[in-house]
């Protein structure tokens, strides 16, 4: 018998291996196989009794890792679809479906097998290696250190002869204090308001029909969308089916985790990035065994191995974190639709600010639109005021960080004990470091971006490649003695805030403050319990938080995203303003939002002020139509990169020539042009953009790249439906 094995290697089709006699192998099981000098884990995607053609040097499966298939037929098929749609290999797609603990990561422990005790030992390195192992198991790294890199081949040979065992040891388990383990449901659903009721009835009716249906739940912030999801999930369980709920970032949604646990107890599993590998594997196998039937998780939870899927919910479906930015570059929201359709399940996408693509689908009646136009319990939408920062500029100091109005409102909150959130979409202290003499901006030597000054550890940092360097006392170009910091990040907001309000309790939430495990939860918990007055943060503070004591939200600058070279810049600006604003006034008292901007008359700012999504959509969709961007066009972006700029350019030229030859009247090929991030980590990057009117014509064009292998030293990355144009 022979098996087709998909390996997580780019561009590699499934390969045929012999199944060792007497072994039971089924589709979806993970196996170890040799590939060249390596031993890799792959997934069985097919089994045949005879070979379609003669294969020289046919290798055998070394080890069967599962007793039961890890992936069902349904997921294998979904993986194949991904491979075709996103131009990754089938094995890469399947690799994305398995939790990390099931992949060959962690430390590889090498030990002697029982067989080795009786076997005649080989000579040379192999023998010395075996002798060393007879004293106890070693990691692969230790072995290679002792015996030199050449031992890798010897090791593989010993492994394929069954003389050594290679086991993946998982990193130790550390349990998070206070992590979910409420096993009994403790929560009772509230009575829904009329809008919620209508939405729920529509979804229930669709669930009862047992057929694919898709809904877009457009509900303003605080309108009770989550409650509708929970009741839809409850109904799915009553039908004996399973449900998946996706959230953009699981760590930020502690309140949703708590609500799911309280409502569904043991029947729920949370695939949380804060879990250890082992805990994740445990949660995954509870789902796989059918013990957990409600799955809550981020992007990759779309692949949760539930047996009988009835419902997939995608909360805040516009969020760009649903797109995976490394291969396989899939979009979980779109895959949710593909999976739901294949299984006759119901799809519910929800947001206060739907993605243009999703609302467009609702307009075209591919999705049924459900509206929740009001907040629950007659709570008012927050009042949004635009603050003109041009008027606040002082001739000597330039624009201040805080307007007079914002300072006054903060002061009032401090006096009454209410909480405030300040949002700025930039971390660090100062995003620009400039020489006052020659006006040169200090940039990363390896990337084409400016370095960001971090006051907390007093260094300059590149936010692209992570390189840090101590702040230079002098300008590298003209030698001027003192560099000037310009612009502001969250660290500066925090620092200045302390000078205005020395006794206020201030917390900061951004990538830099949550490096340690559990910091994020701690910060959110302390703010939630009222142990701080002001929370300063990046977009993290915009995401779905429900803090009833927050009555003031200040957007330090609404302009940061407005002029980025990305066709989604205005959409993002609208979303972020409305979402951050939505954190205010969720409790009893009304909320106030101050939006500081230099662009008071910009239509996106004024539409965000009135929180008028439909008008925003009309304006934006017209632009997309005129400029031929999604949802009117299907995009793909290709980045060619190399440390050698000429090599990157040559590759880009070759790629674009092939694409242009294959392009028809429905396709436009733009570029190659320097990518907006022209250099990253010493590599020069050229970008090519494909715009097609349909998926079919785009895939015909992309088909022209088949078989193109970049020369060594150059790389090519293909991104289908790119989320980020930078
Ligand atoms: P959204 O997801 O739209 O922002 P949530 O579902 O989180 O809104 O609801 C906001 C708050 O209102 C939550 O604390 C939730 O428990 C509460 N809530 C939701 N629906 C109702 C209802 N029908 N009656 C009373 N409270 C509700
Ligand atoms: Zn850099």
């Amino acid at each position: 018998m022979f098996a087709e094995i998909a390996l997580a290697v780019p561009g590699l089709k499934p390969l045929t291996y012999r199944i060792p006699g007497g072994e039971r192998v089924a589709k979806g099981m993970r196996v170890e196989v040799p590939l060249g000098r390596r031993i890799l884990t792959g997934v069985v995607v097919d089994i045949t009794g005879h070979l379609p053609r003669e294969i020289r040097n046919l290798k055998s499966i070394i080890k069967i890792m599962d007793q039961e298939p890890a992936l069902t037929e349904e997921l294998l098929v979904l993986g194949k679809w991904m491979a075709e749609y996103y131009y990754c290999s089938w094995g890469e797609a399947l690799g994305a479906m398995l939790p990390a603990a099931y992949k060959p990561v962690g430390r590889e422990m090498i030990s002697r097998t029982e067989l080795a005790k009786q076997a005649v030992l080989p000579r040379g390195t192999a023998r010395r290696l075996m002798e060393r192992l007879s004293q106890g198991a070693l990691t692969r790294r230790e072995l290679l250190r002792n015996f030199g890199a050449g031992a890798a081949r010897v090791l593989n040979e010993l492994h394929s002869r069954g003389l050594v065992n290679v086991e993946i040891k998982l990193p130790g388990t550390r349990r998070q204090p206070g992590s979910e383990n409420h096993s009994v449901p403790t929560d009772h659903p509230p009575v829904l308001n009329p809008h919620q009721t209508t939405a729920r009835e529509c979804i229930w009716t669709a669930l009862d029909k047992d057929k694919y249906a898709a809904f877009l739940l457009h509900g303003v912030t605080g309108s009770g969308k989550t409650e509708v999801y929970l009741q839809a999930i409850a109904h799915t369980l009553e039908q004996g089916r399973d449900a998946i709920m996706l959230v953009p970032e699981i760590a930020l949604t502690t309140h949703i985790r708590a609500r799911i646990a309280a409502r569904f107890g043991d029947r729920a599993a949370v695939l949380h990035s804060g879990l250890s590998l082992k805990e994740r594997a445990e949660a995954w196998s509870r789902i796989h065994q059918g013990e957990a039937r409600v799955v809550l998780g981020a992007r990759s939870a779309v692949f949760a191995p539930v047996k009988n899927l009835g419902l997939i919910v995608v909360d805040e479906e516009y969020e760009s974190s649903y797109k995976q930015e490394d291969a396989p570059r899939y979009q979980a929201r779109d895959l949710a639709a593909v999976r739901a359709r294949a299984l006759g399940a119901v799809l519910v996408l929800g947001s206060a600010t739907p993605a243009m693509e999703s609302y467009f689908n609702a307009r075209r009646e591919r999705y049924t639109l459900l509206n929740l136009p009001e907040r629950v319990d007659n709570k008012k939408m927050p009042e949004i005021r635009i603050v003109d920062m041009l008027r606040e500029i002082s001739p000597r100091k330039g624009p201040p960080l805080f307007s007079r109005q914002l300072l006054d409102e903060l002061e009032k909150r401090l006096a009454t004990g209410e909480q405030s959130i300040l949002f700025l979409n930039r971390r660090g202290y100062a995003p620009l470091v400039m020489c006052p003499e020659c006006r040169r901006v200090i940039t990363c030597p390896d990337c084409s971006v400016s370095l960001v000054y971090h006051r907390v550890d007093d260094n300059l940092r590149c936010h692209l490649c992570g390189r840090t360097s101590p702040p230079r006392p002098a300008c590298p170009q003209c030698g001027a003695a003192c560099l000037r910091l310009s612009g502001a990040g969250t660290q500066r907001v925090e620092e200045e805030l302390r000078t205005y309000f020395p006794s206020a309790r201030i917390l900061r939430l951004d990538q830099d403050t949550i490096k340690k495990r559990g910091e994020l939860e701690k910060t959110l918990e302390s703010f939630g319990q009222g142990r701080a007055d002001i929370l300063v943060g990046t977009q993290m503070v915009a995401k779905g938080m429900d803090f009833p004591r927050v009555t003031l939200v200040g957007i330090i600058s609404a302009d940061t995203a407005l002029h980025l070279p990305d066709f989604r810049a205005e959409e993002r600006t609208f979303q972020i303003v409305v979402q951050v604003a939505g954190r205010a006034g969720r409790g009893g008292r009304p909320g106030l939002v101050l939006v500081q901007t230099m662009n008071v008359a910009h239509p996106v700012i004024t539409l965000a002020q009135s929180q008028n999504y439909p008008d925003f959509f009309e304006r934006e969709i017209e632009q997309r139509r005129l400029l031929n961007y999604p949802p009117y066009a299907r995009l793909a972006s290709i980045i060619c990169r190399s440390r050698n700029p000429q090599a990157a350019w040559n590759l880009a030229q070759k790629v674009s020539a092939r694409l242009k030859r294959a392009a028809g009247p429905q396709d436009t090929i733009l570029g190659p042009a320097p990518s907006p991030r022209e250099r990253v980590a010493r590599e020069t990057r050229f970008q090519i953009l494909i715009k097609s009117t349909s998926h079919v014509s785009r895939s015909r064009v992309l088909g022209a790249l088949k078989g193109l292998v970049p020369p060594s030293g150059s790389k090519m990355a293909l991104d289908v439906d790119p989320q980020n144009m930078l």
Side-chain angles (χ1 to χ4, degrees), residues 397 399-402 407 422 429 455 487-502 506 536:
K397 291 199 207 141
L401 262 185
F402 310 114
L407 290 173
L422 294 184
Y429 186 86
R455 166 147 294 175
T490 44
Q491 287 175 15
R492 188 169 197 162
V493 171
E494 184 188 0
E495 186 187 278
E496 281 203 22
L497 210 49
R498 288 189 198 283
T499 64
Y500 284 107
F501 308 109
I506 303 170
V536 176

Side-chain angles (χ1 to χ4, degrees), residues 444 446-447 449 462 464-467 681:
C444 174
D446 297 339
C447 308
V449 292
C462 173
L464 277 188
C465 70
R467 176 194 178 103

Side-chain angles (χ1 to χ4, degrees), residues 154-170:
V154 178
L155 206 57
N156 286 353
E157 236 169 72
L158 292 171
H159 189 193
S160 59
R161 289 181 51 194
L163 298 176
V164 299
N165 247 333
V166 179
E167 252 172 326
I168 318 282
K169 273 279 182 302
L170 301 176

Side-chain angles (χ1 to χ4, degrees), residues 358-556:
S358 302
Y359 206 76
F360 187 74
N361 277 336
R363 280 285 168 85
R364 298 260 166 126
E365 291 176 4
R366 272 184 229 134
Y367 299 158
T368 305
L369 187 63
L370 303 171
N371 280 304
L372 303 180
E374 290 159 14
R375 284 190 161 179
V376 291
D377 271 356
N378 298 321
K379 277 167 208 151
K380 284 211 188 61
M381 291 303 286
E383 180 197 347
I384 302 188
R385 285 190 216 146
I386 305 290
V387 181
D388 186 354
M389 293 308 277
L390 286 174
R391 294 190 174 195
E392 306 266 336
I393 292 183
S394 87
R396 265 193 323 119
K397 291 199 207 141
L401 262 185
F402 310 114
S403 58
R404 198 58 254 166
Q405 220 187 122
L406 181 54
L407 290 173
D408 288 347
E409 295 295 340
L410 281 168
E411 193 159 11
K412 280 190 212 158
R413 300 300 178 295
L414 288 170
T416 56
E418 292 167 33
Q419 291 180 306
S420 309
I421 292 180
L422 294 184
F423 164 80
L424 179 63
N425 208 2
R426 260 198 234 117
R427 64 195 174 90
Y429 186 86
L432 282 182
V433 183
M434 248 172 57
C435 171
E437 300 295 325
C438 69
R439 307 204 69 75
R440 182 187 138 119
V441 172
I442 312 293
T443 54
C444 174
D446 297 339
C447 308
S448 49
V449 292
S450 50
L451 292 175
V452 178
Y453 176 63
H454 283 246
R455 166 147 294 175
V456 177
D457 16 44
D458 192 29
N459 61 20
L460 291 173
R461 211 173 291 170
C462 173
H463 284 188
L464 277 188
C465 70
R467 176 194 178 103
T468 58
S469 44
R472 280 175 244 220
C475 171
Q477 181 161 295
C478 72
C482 148
L483 296 173
R484 185 192 293 155
L485 301 175
S486 142
T490 44
Q491 287 175 15
R492 188 169 197 162
V493 171
E494 184 188 0
E495 186 187 278
E496 281 203 22
L497 210 49
R498 288 189 198 283
T499 64
Y500 284 107
F501 308 109
S503 60
R505 295 164 304 166
I506 303 170
L507 287 173
R508 178 161 59 88
L509 191 61
D510 56 35
Q511 284 299 327
D512 302 311
T513 62
I514 57 158
K515 286 207 180 108
K516 267 194 259 139
R517 229 171 130 86
E519 286 296 317
L520 175 61
E521 281 84 351
K522 245 182 18 213
T523 307
L524 292 180
E525 195 180 298
S526 277
F527 191 66
Q529 293 175 345
R531 279 185 271 130
D533 305 302
I534 305 173
L535 178 66
V536 176
T538 52
Q539 66 269 33
M540 286 184 181
V541 303
K543 291 184 186 174
M545 293 176 180
D546 192 14
F547 294 122
R549 268 175 284 208
V550 174
T551 58
L552 174 68
V553 164
I555 298 180
I556 300 296

